[in-house]
């Protein structure tokens, strides 16, 4: 480490009580309203992100409930076609873009810096910016919906239906611009996570000692970086078609309708894995404390994550099997889609082996892991079914597919996520969630989910298409639809119980110790919730289960300054300390920059000139953001 | 007790039969390719069900054996056994999905080479109805809507065209679906193996009334089909009664004729369905109602309440005009 010209105080020179006081002073978020708006603490932002995402989950759930009431009987009149089409579009767009992807990133924003043993996420101001942008995108979508301007073109927004000729009003533009907001925030978080994981790991955390959840977030971040540009190109092209009069998707002028589908699904299929891989990582990480042993097959689990990430870019065409593409090419995509069952299978087999050999502790998180295995395997198997071109020609765009992807996304991602909330709740809030309520909510959700979605497989085979606002009484679907709607009530009750449990426990739950589950990873090596500086001294890692590998206190690295925000930067593979790096202080400018960006993006729905004039305030706020403030962090 | 068993047995039997009323179900296959697809679906679902059950057995075993009394001490040999079991499971997965891939490929090829075609029909998808045009020489050509008649046991080629947005042609009892994409020419071959009426529905979300875009495929014997086709090629019957003549007069005088064609009259609009033989079709408004004088009158009087958002405007008519127009429509057999 280089010597600084200015006199400085190092952590090793001060005694422990004084050290924590000094660090708390250095890393604190200023009090009050402006302090809350200008914070760059990854824990505060992470909690906000998680809370906001769950609000969107609840809103999306209300929409689902409305759809189930409407479909409970044939020719129901609760919702008209216009409202229903907005609602199913909102449900899909909201759940994918405002809940599923952001909530996984939110969990990572909170957990990854703690799990790798650092003091803040890389680019913390960008992190603040990404949250504000996400919030603005979500608000745009929901305010538009409240004003009866919600998109009604499906979450996939196929042209020409979403194009200038058939998508009247501003509904499709709002969808497209909401995409821009959420992609922007997702890309920002992805970059932060990659840098945090590559360069800020605690000394000694070599590649083969990284917690599997952190590996999953690394792979996911690369998927975001590679897949999201496709959808940004697509949504921007759509706005150009609608606003500027380009004809990129207009067949009458030499444009191509299927171009949209290629771009959308080149993003849209990796998107599924952007949601699923973090959940798989959560399972691999959570299973350890509840099976009382390291996860079986660490290398296989990590390789499966990477293989899934790579393969996920080679199977988008299975969403287009009935669009009329050449049959030979489609067969290639059958093969590639089927192949992804192998890494998925590897992970399931490793989890089973871990459970087989473990001493199980049947707490709520483990219940969700077991429920996850039961349902996700069904979703995976129906995924193999729809990968087959001929099979797909019968079930594509039917309720069979609705059942399939809810098994994958709810069974495969939301179940682990709910388990993860129960598991990490003490680290998030300092309190435990109620175990009794937790188990009740698990059983309601598990039973309600399967009773709701399993019959949809049969409905699909019986010919019920997706996205229909009603159906006629002479079709043979009404009995099963009524059953599905009643089951959905059980599912909703389970979620309500989960929300009640979380909100109540956040205030009145039993206070948690540092490591209530006796878990092995670094986030449990600090207080619950952690102090602003995360760790008083940076831990040194000597195994894949740091808290299980060492008896007593963890060894620590020393030599960081206490009077300014500093991190240890380590080498990529071996995690050897390389240098000390300053971490930016709180700043209000990310909020101003996000507001300026919001104005520009929303304005650009109405006029292309917004891009010209709107970029000026953005430039001003960015200058403010990067302007040296004379803080100790600016020295380096 | 026996009665209970009998009742539950009949319920069990009724469940799979529920989809077999010949209306709209991939499990009720009567078309050449639908039958082939159903076999493929059954095999794949059966294999996958077995796989799921095996995984569940392993999971239950893992949870069960974990009872402290049964728990053996961990050992390197246990670790090795688990490694072998995991590798075996991965190999089994690979074999199964390879089998599925080959099966799919063979089934796809079998569907693609369906032989030569006896009849070609152009089906165009519009918001929210189907235009059906029987191709051939100019004497053979004719147009209808929302109802396709085909001769049983013959290969029928459908040329699928999306006019406005993307639609998808899906009659599950006969064949898998195929999209109608603007700017592309897609085709689908269907062959009914049994006389019957098969319901189908648009399967690609196409806007406000996607839910009400159904069609019927009527598979007739060759004789019946020939008779039907010959009747369809004819121009509309001249009205035989005074009320029907008044109805025709109203139809031609009001905006109706701007959008609809009735061959044999001056009405030659092209944006709505051809109504030359509308009275002979089983349903109106793309499968919404059975065709009766009453349903026709209701539809003409207020199409926007019945099917909100569709392109048929409300045309103000006096009660007499409404009565005579709907009588005239019903008479167009």
């Amino acid at each position: 480490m280089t010597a600084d010209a200015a006199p400085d105080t190092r952590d090793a020179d001060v005694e422990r009580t004084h050290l924590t006081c000094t660090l708390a002073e250095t890393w604190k978020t200023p009090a009050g309203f402006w302090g809350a708006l200008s914070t760059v603490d990854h824990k505060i932002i992470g909690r906000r992100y998680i809370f906001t995402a769950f609000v969107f989950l609840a809103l999306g759930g209300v929409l689902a409930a409305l759809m189930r009431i409407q479909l409970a009987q044939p020719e129901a009149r609760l919702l008209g076609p216009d409202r229903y089409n907005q609602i199913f579009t909102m449900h899909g767009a909201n759940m994918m873009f405002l809940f599923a992807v952001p909530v996984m990133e939110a969990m990572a924003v909170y957990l990854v810096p703690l799990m790798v043993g650092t003091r803040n996420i890389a680019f913390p101001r960008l992190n603040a910016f990404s949250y504000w942008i996400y919030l603005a995108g979500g608000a745009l979508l929901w305010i538009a919906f409240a004003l009866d301007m919600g998109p009604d073109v499906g979450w996939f927004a196929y042209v020409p239906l979403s194009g200038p000729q058939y998508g009247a009003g501003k509904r499709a533009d709002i969808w497209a611009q909401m995409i821009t907001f959420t992609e922007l925030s997702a890309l920002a978080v992805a970059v932060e996570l990659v840098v945090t994981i590559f360069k800020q790991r605690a000394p000694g955390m070599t590649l083969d000692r990284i917690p599997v959840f952190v590996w999953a977030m690394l792979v996911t971040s690369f998927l975001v970086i590679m897949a999201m540009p496709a959808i940004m190109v697509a949504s921007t092209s759509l706005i150009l078609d609608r606003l500027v009069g380009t004809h990129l998707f207009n067949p009458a002028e030499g444009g191509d309708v299927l171009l949209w589908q290629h771009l959308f699904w080149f993003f849209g299929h990796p998107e599924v894995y952007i949601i699923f891989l973090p959940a798989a990582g959560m399972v691999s990480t959570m299973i350890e404390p509840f099976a009382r042993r390291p996860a079986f097959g660490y290398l296989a689990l990590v390789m499966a994550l990477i293989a899934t990430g790579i393969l996920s870019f080679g199977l988008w065409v299975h969403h287009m099997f009935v669009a009329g593409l050449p049959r030979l090419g489609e067969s290639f995509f059958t093969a590639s889609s089927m192949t992804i069952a192998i890494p998925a299978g590897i992970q399931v087999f490793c989890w089973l082996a871990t459970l087989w050999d473990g001493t199980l502790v049947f707490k709520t998180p483990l219940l969700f892991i077991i429920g996850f295995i039961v349902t996700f395997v069904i979703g995976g198997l129906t995924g193999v079914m729809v990968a087959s071109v001929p099979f797909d020609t019968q079930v594509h765009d039917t309720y069979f597919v609705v059942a399939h992807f809810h098994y994958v996304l709810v069974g495969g991602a939301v179940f682990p996520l709910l388990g993860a909330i129960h598991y990490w709740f003490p680290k998030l809030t300092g309190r435990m969630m109620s175990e009794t309520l937790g188990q009740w909510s698990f059983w309601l959700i598990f039973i309600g989910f399967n009773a709701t979605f399993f019959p949809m497989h049969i409905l699909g085979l019986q010919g019920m298409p997706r996205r229909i606002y009603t159906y006629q009484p002479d079709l043979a679907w009404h009995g099963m639809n009524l059953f599905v709607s009643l089951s959905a009530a059980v599912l909703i009750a389970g979620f309500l119980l989960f929300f009640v449990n979380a909100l109540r426990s956040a205030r009145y739950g039993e206070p948690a110790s540092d490591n209530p589950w006796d878990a092995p990873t670094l986030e449990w090596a600090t207080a619950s919730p952690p102090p602003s500086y995360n760790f008083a001294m940076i831990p040194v890692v000597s195994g894949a289960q740091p808290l299980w590998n060492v008896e007593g206190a963890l060894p620590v690295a020393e030599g960081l300054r206490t009077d300014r925000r500093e991190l240890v930067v380590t080498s990529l593979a071996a995690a050897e300390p390389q240098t000390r790096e300053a971490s930016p202080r709180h700043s209000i400018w990310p909020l101003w920059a996000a507001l300026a960006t919001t104005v520009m993006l929303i304005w650009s729905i109405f006029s292309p000139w917004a891009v010209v004039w709107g970029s000026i305030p953005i430039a001003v706020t960015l200058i403010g953001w990067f302007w040296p403030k004379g803080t100790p962090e600016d020295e380096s | 007790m026996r009665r209970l068993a009998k009742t539950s047995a009949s319920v069990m039997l009724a469940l799979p039969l529920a989809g077999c009323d010949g209306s709209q179900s991939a499990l009720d296959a009567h078309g050449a390719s639908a039958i082939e697809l159903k076999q493929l679906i059954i095999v794949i679902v059966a294999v996958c069900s077995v796989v799921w059950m095996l995984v569940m057995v392993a999971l239950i075993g893992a949870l069960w054996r974990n009872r402290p009394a049964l728990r053996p001490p961990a050992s390197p040999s246990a670790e090795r056994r688990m490694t072998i079991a995991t590798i075996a499971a991965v190999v089994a997965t690979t074999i199964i999905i390879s089998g599925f891939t080959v099966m799919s490929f063979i089934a796809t090829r079998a569907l693609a080479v369906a032989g030569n075609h006896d009849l070609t029909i152009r089906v165009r998808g519009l918001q929210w109805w189907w235009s059906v045009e029987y191709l051939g020489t100019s004497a053979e050509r004719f147009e209808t809507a929302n109802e396709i008649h085909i001769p049983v046991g013959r290969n029928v080629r459908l040329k699928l065209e999306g006019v406005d947005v993307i639609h998808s042609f899906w009659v599950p009892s006969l064949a898998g679906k195929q999209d109608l994409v603007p700017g592309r020419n897609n085709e689908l071959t269907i062959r009914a193996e049994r006389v019957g009426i098969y319901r189908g529905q648009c399967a690609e979300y196409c806007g406000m009334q996607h839910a009400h875009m159904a069609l019927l495929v009527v598979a007739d014997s060759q004789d019946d089909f020939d008779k039907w086709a010959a009747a369809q090629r004819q121009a509309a019957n001249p009205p035989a009664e005074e009320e029907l003549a008044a109805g025709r007069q109203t139809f031609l005088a009001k905006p109706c004729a701007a959008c609809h064609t009735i061959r044999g009259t001056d009405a030659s609009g092209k944006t709505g369905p051809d109504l030359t033989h509308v009275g002979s079709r089983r349903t109106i408004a793309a499968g919404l109602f059975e065709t009766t004088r009453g349903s026709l009158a209701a539809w003409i009087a207020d199409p926007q309440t019945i099917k909100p958002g569709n392109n048929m405007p409300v045309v103000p008519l006096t009660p007499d005009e409404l009565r005579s127009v709907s009588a005239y429509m019903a008479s167009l057999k």
Side-chain angles (χ1 to χ4, degrees):
Chain A
M1 290 185 186
T2 54
D4 275 303
D8 59 20
T9 327
R10 300 298 178 90
D11 48 13
D13 305 334
V14 287
E15 57 181 301
R16 182 80 187 189
T17 45
H18 185 61
L19 173 67
T20 50
C21 289
T22 323
L23 283 173
E25 184 57 35
T26 307
W27 286 85
K28 76 168 186 208
T29 287
F33 181 67
W34 287 109
L37 294 182
S38 59
T39 186
V40 293
D41 184 336
H42 76 99
K43 296 177 293 300
I44 296 173
I45 294 169
R47 272 196 296 263
R48 262 178 211 167
Y49 238 123
I50 295 168
F51 183 82
T52 314
F54 272 93
V55 169
F56 287 127
L57 171 72
L59 289 170
V62 171
L63 298 179
L66 287 171
M67 288 191 283
R68 278 327 311 176
I69 297 172
Q70 166 79 6
L71 293 176
Q73 47 180 331
E75 302 280 19
R77 295 258 162 185
L78 173 74
L79 304 169
D82 185 56
R83 214 18 136 168
Y84 186 90
N85 294 341
Q86 281 187 64
I87 284 177
F88 88 74
T89 303
M90 286 288 295
H91 175 75
N94 172 76
M95 289 304 204
M96 295 299 272
F97 293 110
L98 300 181
F99 167 64
V101 173
V103 80
M104 296 300 176
E105 283 164 350
M107 293 295 279
V109 163
Y110 190 89
L111 291 170
V112 163
L114 291 164
M115 291 177 93
V116 302
T118 187
R119 282 183 172 159
N120 203 352
I121 200 164
F123 314 125
R125 290 183 183 173
L126 185 63
N127 195 30
F129 175 81
S130 89
Y131 173 76
W132 299 123
I133 285 288
Y134 160 63
L135 187 65
L140 166 71
L141 187 69
W142 278 92
I143 290 170
F145 177 66
L147 299 176
D148 201 23
M149 278 169 63
D152 58 352
V153 290
W155 85 280
F156 45 91
Y158 276 6
V159 291
L161 188 62
S162 63
Q165 228 178 329
Y166 300 97
K170 289 290 169 196
R171 290 174 166 189
D173 304 275
I174 284 167
W175 176 88
Q177 212 56 302
M178 182 275 293
I179 300 290
T180 312
F181 278 98
T182 53
E183 306 308 312
L184 196 53
S185 68
L187 280 169
V189 173
V191 170
E192 295 153 25
L193 288 175
V194 168
V195 176
T196 308
I197 296 167
F198 273 168
K199 295 307 291 178
Q200 290 183 208
R201 299 199 308 277
M205 188 181 278
T206 51
L207 289 181
D208 56 350
R209 292 173 184 166
I210 299 178
V212 181
F213 174 67
V214 176
W215 264 114
M217 287 317 305
L218 181 66
V219 177
T220 303
S221 300
F222 275 107
L223 291 193
V224 169
I225 291 167
M226 287 186 267
M228 298 278 176
I231 185 72
M232 296 200 41
V233 166
S235 63
T236 308
S237 306
L238 179 63
I239 291 202
L240 284 174
D241 260 17
R242 294 177 58 90
L243 188 69
V244 189
T246 56
H247 294 286
L248 295 158
F249 303 121
N250 181 0
E253 299 287 338
D256 193 311
V257 168
L258 289 192
L259 171 64
W260 170 267
Q261 298 188 16
H262 282 293
L263 286 171
F264 184 82
W265 291 115
F266 186 80
F267 144 83
H269 203 84
E271 163 96 342
V272 176
Y273 294 97
I274 288 169
I275 295 165
F276 169 67
L277 290 183
M282 286 170 178
V283 171
S284 298
T285 297
M286 283 193 292
I287 205 167
E288 297 191 338
F290 296 99
R292 311 302 312 148
R293 58 154 287 158
F296 173 79
Y298 176 90
L299 183 64
L301 286 169
V302 172
M303 287 302 157
L305 292 172
I306 296 171
T308 309
I310 293 169
L311 285 172
S312 73
F313 284 98
L315 29 86
W316 79 93
V317 170
H318 74 216
H319 296 269
M320 302 165 65
F321 279 163
V322 298
L325 298 174
R327 286 292 170 198
L328 183 66
E330 289 186 344
S331 292
F332 168 81
F333 285 96
T334 292
S336 64
S337 306
M338 296 247 179
T339 310
I340 209 151
I342 296 174
I346 289 174
Q347 293 183 81
V348 171
F349 302 138
C350 286
W351 294 322
L352 286 174
T354 311
L355 293 176
W356 183 272
D357 191 56
T359 307
L360 305 188
V361 182
F362 284 94
K363 294 287 177 63
T364 310
L366 184 65
L367 293 184
F368 274 107
I369 290 176
I370 295 166
F372 154 77
I373 293 175
V374 175
T375 50
F376 171 67
V377 172
I378 295 179
L381 289 168
T382 53
V384 166
M385 296 177 195
V386 296
S388 156
V389 174
F391 195 117
D392 189 58
T393 61
Q394 281 290 25
V395 297
H396 186 81
D397 275 331
T398 70
Y399 265 80
F400 187 94
V401 174
V402 176
H404 157 67
F405 70 74
H406 280 93
Y407 266 84
V408 175
L409 291 173
V410 180
V414 177
F415 279 21
L417 174 72
L418 295 179
I421 294 289
H422 284 86
Y423 175 61
W424 276 296
F425 199 78
K427 198 51 67 180
L428 284 158
T429 64
R431 293 178 185 275
M432 306 295 287
M433 278 177 83
S434 156
E435 188 59 28
T436 319
L437 289 183
Q439 301 212 0
W440 270 97
S441 64
F442 166 75
W443 285 108
L444 285 173
I445 289 173
F446 180 74
I447 294 167
F449 170 79
N450 282 289
T452 303
F453 289 98
F454 195 83
M456 290 187 188
H457 292 110
I458 301 163
L459 276 173
L461 287 169
Q462 285 185 345
M464 183 167 169
R466 296 167 73 178
R467 303 163 186 145
I468 52 171
Y469 76 98
T470 192
Y471 52 93
Q472 285 156 269
D474 49 341
L475 293 157
W477 308 328
H478 43 268
M480 213 173 277
N481 268 303
L482 181 61
F483 178 79
V484 164
S485 293
L486 293 174
S487 308
V490 179
L491 180 58
I492 290 166
F495 271 101
L496 281 179
L497 201 57
F498 165 78
F499 281 117
V500 168
N501 188 8
L503 292 175
R504 227 178 63 107
S505 303
R507 283 194 76 147
Y508 308 111
E510 184 195 326
S513 62
D514 289 5
N515 189 1
W517 312 107
D518 187 20
T521 38
L522 281 185
E523 75 275 26
W524 304 103
T526 182
S528 301
S532 54
Y533 47 87
N534 289 358
F535 301 93
M537 305 281 265
I538 300 301
V540 174
V541 174
S542 55
Q545 283 78 30
L547 303 198
W548 288 355
N549 300 137
V550 179
E551 295 284 329
L554 278 178
V556 291
E558 52 190 41
L560 286 182
R561 272 172 66 165
T562 55
D563 62 328
R564 70 171 200 179
R565 298 185 176 199
E566 266 191 3
L567 308 165
V568 181
V569 171
T570 50
S571 64
L572 194 145
E576 282 164 357
Q578 285 176 316
T579 181
R580 295 175 293 130
E581 173 74 30
S583 177
R585 272 174 190 270
H586 58 86
S587 163
I588 194 70
W589 286 100
L591 175 61
W592 298 143
L595 278 173
T597 311
T598 300
V599 168
M600 188 269 267
L601 288 178
I602 294 180
W603 186 8
S604 71
I605 294 176
F606 301 93
S607 162
W609 286 103
V611 181
V612 178
W613 303 119
S615 60
I616 295 169
I618 296 179
V620 171
T621 52
L622 288 182
I623 291 166
W625 178 333
F626 291 104
W627 198 266
K629 314 282 193 308
T631 59
E633 285 77 14
D634 290 330
E635 293 164 18
S636 60
Chain B
M1 192 63 207
R2 261 188 71 183
R3 205 168 143 184
L4 182 72
K6 215 171 153 188
T7 323
S8 58
S10 57
V11 169
M12 296 284 277
L13 276 176
L15 271 179
L17 287 176
C20 299
D21 54 1
S23 63
Q24 181 171 326
S25 172
L27 302 175
D28 182 26
H30 297 292
S33 58
I35 291 168
E36 188 136 352
L37 291 173
K38 186 182 169 186
Q39 286 163 354
L40 180 84
I41 289 171
I42 287 173
V43 171
I44 293 184
V45 170
V47 173
C48 287
S49 305
V50 172
V51 169
W52 182 75
M53 278 184 247
L54 290 176
V55 174
M56 288 307 105
V57 167
L59 177 64
I60 291 166
L63 303 182
W64 181 268
R65 77 176 235 128
N66 189 66
R67 291 173 164 188
L70 295 175
R71 169 128 171 82
S75 67
S77 69
E79 204 82 356
R80 203 172 57 240
R81 278 201 302 278
M82 292 199 306
T83 309
I84 292 167
T86 309
I87 291 171
V90 173
V91 170
T93 309
T94 313
I95 292 169
I96 291 169
I97 60 168
S98 305
F100 285 171
T101 306
V102 172
M103 278 169 60
S104 304
F105 187 64
I106 292 170
T108 309
R109 279 178 49 133
L111 297 178
V113 280
N116 45 355
H117 301 96
D118 304 305
L119 179 65
T120 303
I121 304 172
R122 175 185 294 147
V123 178
R124 300 185 312 143
L126 296 100
Q127 286 180 325
W128 291 278
W129 60 284
W130 307 87
S131 151
V132 180
E133 188 182 358
Y134 285 71
L135 301 179
T137 61
S138 59
E140 290 168 346
R141 271 171 190 261
F142 63 89
E143 210 177 317
T144 177
N146 300 328
E147 189 172 304
I148 303 173
H149 286 240
I150 58 172
V152 76
R154 297 301 174 92
N155 289 332
V156 178
R157 176 165 55 176
L158 304 179
K159 295 166 84 77
L160 302 172
E161 293 174 11
V163 175
D164 37 37
V165 301
I166 304 173
H167 304 275
S168 190
F169 182 93
W170 188 38
V171 183
S173 301
L174 294 181
K177 62 183 70 63
Q178 181 72 60
D179 287 355
L180 294 76
V181 183
R184 295 181 79 87
N185 299 311
N186 286 343
E187 286 191 0
L188 180 70
T189 301
I190 56 174
R191 187 173 83 197
E193 301 290 16
R194 205 180 78 173
V195 169
I197 301 172
Y198 306 103
R199 189 180 190 272
Q201 189 165 356
C202 176
E204 180 62 82
Y205 176 63
C206 56
M208 186 111 105
Q209 284 296 343
H210 168 57
H212 289 138
M213 187 170 164
L215 80 162
L216 294 178
V217 175
V218 181
D220 294 325
S221 66
Q222 185 71 48
D223 277 356
D224 288 350
F225 173 77
D226 289 340
K227 266 184 244 164
W228 174 84
Q232 292 287 316
R233 283 188 197 105
Q234 305 297 318
N237 299 329
E241 296 165 30
E242 202 174 312
E243 188 187 27
L244 303 182
R248 182 169 83 164
Q249 192 49 44
T250 308
F251 187 91
L252 295 173
K254 297 281 177 180
C256 315
C259 297
H260 294 284
T261 294
I262 298 178
R263 280 175 271 134
T265 74
D266 291 341
S268 58
K270 283 286 174 200
T271 46
D274 183 306
L275 299 178
T276 310
H277 299 287
V278 64
S280 74
R281 304 206 279 257
R282 283 170 177 74
T283 63
I284 58 164
L288 198 50
F289 297 122
E290 221 176 296
T291 311
T292 63
R293 215 179 130 172
S295 65
L296 283 163
W299 173 249
I300 296 165
D302 195 358
Q304 290 302 325
T305 304
I306 292 169
K307 193 169 170 179
N310 88 85
N311 289 318
M312 174 137 157
V314 178
V315 176
L317 296 173
T318 66
D320 280 344
E321 285 170 339
L322 182 60
R323 255 195 299 277
S324 60
V325 164
S326 45
Y328 175 60
M329 291 290 111
S331 77
L332 293 173
K333 299 280 189 192

